[in-house]
Amino acid sequence: MDPFQMAHSSPRKKRPRQMSASMVSPPHDIKFQDLVLFILEKKMGTTRRAFLMELARRKGFRVENELSESVTHIVAENNSGSEVLEWLQVQNIKASSQLELLDVSWLIECMRAGKPVEMTEEHQLVVRRDDSASPDPGPQKTPPLVKKISPYACQRRTTLNNCNHVFTDAFEVLAENYEFRENESFYLAFMRAASVLKSLPFTIISMKDIEGIPCLEDKARCVIEEIIEDGESSEVKTVLNDERYQSFKLFTSVFGVGLKTSEKWFRMGFRTLSKIRSDKTLKFTKMQKAGFLYYEDLVSCVTRAEAEAVGVLVKEAIWAFLPDAFITMTGGFRRGKKIGHDVDFLITSPGSTEEEEQELLSKVIKLWERKELLLYYDLVESTFEKAKLPSRQVDALDHFQKCFLILKLHHQRVESGKSSQQEGKTWKAIRVDLVVCPYEHRAFALLGWTGSRQFERDIRRYASHERKMILDNHNLYDKTKRIFLKAESEEEIFAHLGLDYIEPWERNA
Ligand code: CTP
Ligand code: MN
Ligand code: MN
């Protein structure tokens, strides 16, 4: 039987004398100098506490008899974070802000491992807000205890139930404005702030609610404070009324128009799309021409029913050439979104040769061209070389063969046939992305193409900063061991990274 469980399951059984706290244990060598533990007796009991203290000391941990300022880790059992905090406050000891409040399960894992193990969300007790102090619990009550929030989106579960829209919408406007002004660091700071609030299970109603939440810099805190107090942010209001912001927002809504083109048009004095469209001196790329031609369809988002209908089209075409291909809808729809700006598909085939794989997309394009379903396409050939080390650039594109398309989707192919389209037109233009990846890379490609962009940024950042590994859409490379880590599934990639698995619908960071 497990000694820890045994000690736990029989707390009332009298232990022999040498187990009592009064006993002076022989000195043990301290192996882990950085940690100073204190085990809380409250609700644990004297006997079990003494047992765990002795055991931890024997394993080389420094365990204090009394609480002091030097303590770095408080271990408690059957106590919530609030209870531990309450007890701490009575002790009149100036606790450091770095103090970790941990469940006994962490200590037990350390004992098994014979060394300090990583503190996961499951171990950490963190006090959030005192429920009783809130005069109005708001739409959703804040739980008194929420686990410590990670600064990495890949360690948070972010569903589409965002209870902090007021704040995240504001942050996204500010982030976008910084993006338009090519201020990358402020752009990222506001995207991170929006992302962390999306993961909260409660609505922020007072400044107290954001205590201890990571990724909220002063600028973001000020916006939150203003919204709480005045119902709106003056900075957001200014941005929304800003001519440059409005123009960039409008121009970049055209497929094929990025920051550079927007900047040019803005400087030339353009403010509306109709003026741009009808200007005889401007030159447009093939992509922009398509963007203007199908503008109305493309700005009206793709519904799930439309995405499913596109999925049928894609399968029909791909399976005509590679019957064993796996075709997965990725992107926002895989994360459970009800609408999207496009439909993304990952295609991989276990039995095909490199040549068959390489020819697939051009065959599909020819087929759709013949059927007059192809409104635009840009085929990007694979630049993938096996020998190459993975890319160090976090936001880099991958090397897979891919195709960015605009397809003609006939209304009759859409189930429920909800056609809110212009009269006379029997189809809608839909943006579609197709990616083909070699079978052994499918798990990495799937993880990379499922998003969200913020989730991807953070899981890569986590891999490199916390694990000394490089993750991209093709591979996971361990820099310490100097090997590529294989994975058959997304679950295996998370496991390689030492992360709890996050389901696709929890990646809406
Ligand atoms: N992606 C990528 N390489 C690209 C383009 C996209 O790895 N060249 C990844 C992005 O990281 C993103 C996912 O593919 O997470 C889907 O991209 P996109 O369609 O732009 O975003 P969605 O999350 O699907 O959002 P939407 O619903 O607006 O389409
Ligand atoms: Mn998408
Ligand atoms: Mn896409």
Side-chain angles (χ1 to χ4, degrees):
M1 194 180 179
D2 189 316
F4 312 116
Q5 295 305 324
M6 192 172 72
H8 193 193
S9 56
S10 52
R12 259 162 298 181
K13 209 160 120 192
K14 278 268 176 305
R15 297 255 146 216
R17 278 262 341 136
Q18 75 261 30
M19 280 300 189
S20 103
S22 59
M23 191 210 158
V24 183
S25 34
H28 298 287
D29 287 342
I30 295 168
K31 279 202 255 173
F32 314 107
Q33 301 283 354
D34 298 345
L35 282 73
V36 184
L37 310 191
F38 174 78
I39 303 176
L40 190 65
E41 191 181 283
K42 185 170 162 259
K43 291 198 183 168
M44 180 186 279
T46 327
T47 316
R48 180 160 161 82
R49 175 173 184 255
F51 165 76
L52 289 172
M53 280 169 69
E54 170 65 17
L55 190 64
R57 283 174 181 154
R58 245 190 285 136
K59 301 257 179 191
F61 287 77
R62 179 171 159 198
V63 189
E64 298 292 86
N65 288 324
E66 310 283 347
L67 182 68
S68 72
E69 278 182 49
S70 58
V71 168
T72 59
H73 294 60
I74 293 189
V75 177
E77 186 162 41
N78 298 325
N79 280 276
S80 71
S82 333
E83 286 172 310
V84 177
L85 198 78
E86 223 167 80
W87 178 86
L88 263 175
Q89 274 154 0
V90 181
Q91 304 310 304
N92 220 0
I93 294 261
K94 202 174 108 254
S96 113
S97 59
Q98 302 303 318
L99 189 65
E100 293 283 357
L101 308 185
L102 295 152
D103 185 71
V104 72
S105 56
W106 172 76
L107 184 66
I108 287 172
E109 276 182 46
C110 292
M111 297 301 97
R112 286 205 181 105
K115 58 178 190 209
V117 298
E118 200 197 349
M119 293 169 280
T120 67
E121 283 180 9
E122 265 66 50
H123 302 131
Q124 278 158 324
L125 307 170
V126 167
V127 183
R128 294 278 319 114
R129 190 179 81 191
D130 182 0
D131 259 5
S132 58
S134 151
D136 170 15
Q140 240 169 308
K141 245 180 141 185
T142 310
L145 172 72
V146 176
K147 287 170 193 161
K148 193 163 176 174
I149 299 165
S150 169
Y152 294 103
C154 57
Q155 291 187 302
R156 305 191 293 255
R157 295 178 198 277
T158 315
T159 64
L160 291 164
N161 292 325
N162 174 4
C163 3
N164 289 290
H165 262 297
V166 233
F167 304 104
T168 59
D169 288 353
F171 287 169
E172 279 167 356
V173 168
L174 298 177
E176 198 172 28
N177 187 46
Y178 285 118
E179 189 187 14
F180 292 162
R181 288 168 189 277
E182 292 179 68
N183 184 332
E184 164 112 357
S185 62
F186 280 1
Y187 162 73
L188 283 176
F190 277 108
M191 289 304 280
R192 266 191 212 135
S195 171
V196 76
L197 295 197
K198 284 180 190 176
S199 75
L200 295 182
F202 58 88
T203 303
I204 292 164
I205 52 169
S206 84
M207 288 307 279
K208 236 182 130 210
D209 296 337
I210 60 169
E211 277 169 29
I213 296 182
C215 313
L216 294 177
E217 291 174 12
D218 284 349
K219 260 173 158 309
R221 285 176 192 270
C222 288
V223 174
I224 296 178
E225 190 159 24
E226 230 192 322
I227 294 176
I228 289 172
E229 281 169 13
D230 310 333
E232 61 180 9
S233 146
S234 54
E235 201 187 338
V236 171
K237 227 170 140 182
T238 308
V239 168
L240 287 174
N241 286 314
D242 178 60
E243 210 181 9
R244 186 188 154 95
Y245 174 81
Q246 289 175 349
S247 304
F248 270 62
K249 184 95 185 146
L250 183 66
F251 300 163
T252 55
S253 73
V254 181
F255 175 59
V257 179
L259 295 186
K260 249 189 251 143
T261 309
S262 299
E263 179 83 50
K264 192 177 88 191
W265 292 347
F266 184 73
R267 282 183 190 215
M268 290 172 82
F270 289 107
R271 296 295 180 266
T272 65
L273 292 181
S274 61
K275 282 267 161 57
I276 294 169
R277 240 196 255 231
S278 58
D279 192 282
K280 295 281 182 294
T281 63
L282 289 175
K283 285 235 174 343
F284 301 120
T285 63
K286 183 182 154 215
M287 206 180 193
Q288 291 162 352
K289 280 179 197 158
F292 279 120
L293 207 47
Y294 309 111
Y295 183 76
E296 267 71 38
D297 279 358
L298 298 183
V299 285
S300 83
C301 283
V302 184
T303 63
R304 180 165 283 278
E306 287 163 346
E308 297 295 347
V310 172
V312 174
L313 260 180
V314 170
K315 283 177 183 166
E316 281 173 4
I318 303 281
W319 285 340
F321 304 108
L322 282 185
D324 75 337
F326 289 100
I327 301 161
T328 314
M329 199 189 288
T330 59
F333 285 110
R334 183 160 185 254
R335 303 195 307 273
K337 278 176 62 178
K338 293 211 165 63
I339 53 165
H341 95 282
D342 68 355
V343 200
D344 308 280
F345 294 94
L346 179 69
I347 300 150
T348 189
S349 140
S352 68
T353 64
E354 228 169 278
E355 210 187 339
E356 286 173 317
E357 222 164 65
Q358 201 237 310
E359 289 170 350
L360 177 66
L361 288 185
S362 48
K363 283 182 184 164
V364 167
I365 285 167
K366 280 196 198 102
L367 175 77
W368 281 337
E369 233 164 13
R370 253 188 282 127
K371 292 189 170 184
E372 293 180 17
L373 296 178
L374 199 60
L375 299 172
Y376 167 88
Y377 76 91
D378 176 20
L379 182 62
V380 184
E381 284 302 330
S382 164
T383 53
F384 192 46
E385 288 162 58
K386 276 184 185 165
K388 255 199 205 149
L389 275 186
S391 154
R392 263 147 223 277
Q393 214 193 315
V394 166
D395 261 339
L397 299 181
D398 59 52
H399 306 292
F400 300 131
Q401 182 181 163
K402 56 180 85 67
C403 194
F404 307 109
L405 309 137
I406 301 177
L407 282 188
K408 188 188 265 189
L409 180 67
H410 287 286
H411 294 325
Q412 83 246 19
R413 295 195 67 113
V414 183
E415 216 161 296
S416 80
K418 257 205 289 167
S419 51
S420 57
Q421 257 58 42
Q422 302 121 285
E423 270 170 57
K425 191 159 150 273
T426 57
W427 51 269
K428 180 176 171 183
I430 309 255
R431 271 275 299 112
V432 177
D433 288 343
L434 303 181
V435 188
V436 181
C437 83
Y439 191 66
E440 65 267 35
H441 297 280
R442 69 198 180 284
F444 299 100
L446 183 60
L447 178 61
W449 277 86
T450 297
S452 67
R453 269 167 211 276
Q454 190 59 35
F455 188 89
E456 301 300 327
R457 264 197 284 271
D458 275 10
I459 195 166
R460 282 156 209 224
R461 201 162 54 92
Y462 179 87
S464 71
H465 292 197
E466 306 292 331
R467 300 282 172 210
K468 293 199 169 55
M469 293 182 188
I470 306 174
L471 173 69
D472 63 17
N473 283 4
H474 323 94
N475 285 303
L476 178 61
Y477 181 73
D478 186 324
K479 287 201 278 183
T480 317
K481 294 186 188 149
R482 298 190 183 176
I483 49 166
F484 288 99
L485 301 169
K486 298 260 166 288
E488 301 278 311
S489 65
E490 290 178 308
E491 281 87 342
E492 287 179 29
I493 304 173
F494 280 81
H496 281 316
L497 290 167
L499 288 169
D500 288 343
Y501 184 62
I502 306 286
E503 298 283 358
W505 58 89
E506 297 169 328
R507 299 182 205 160
N508 288 289

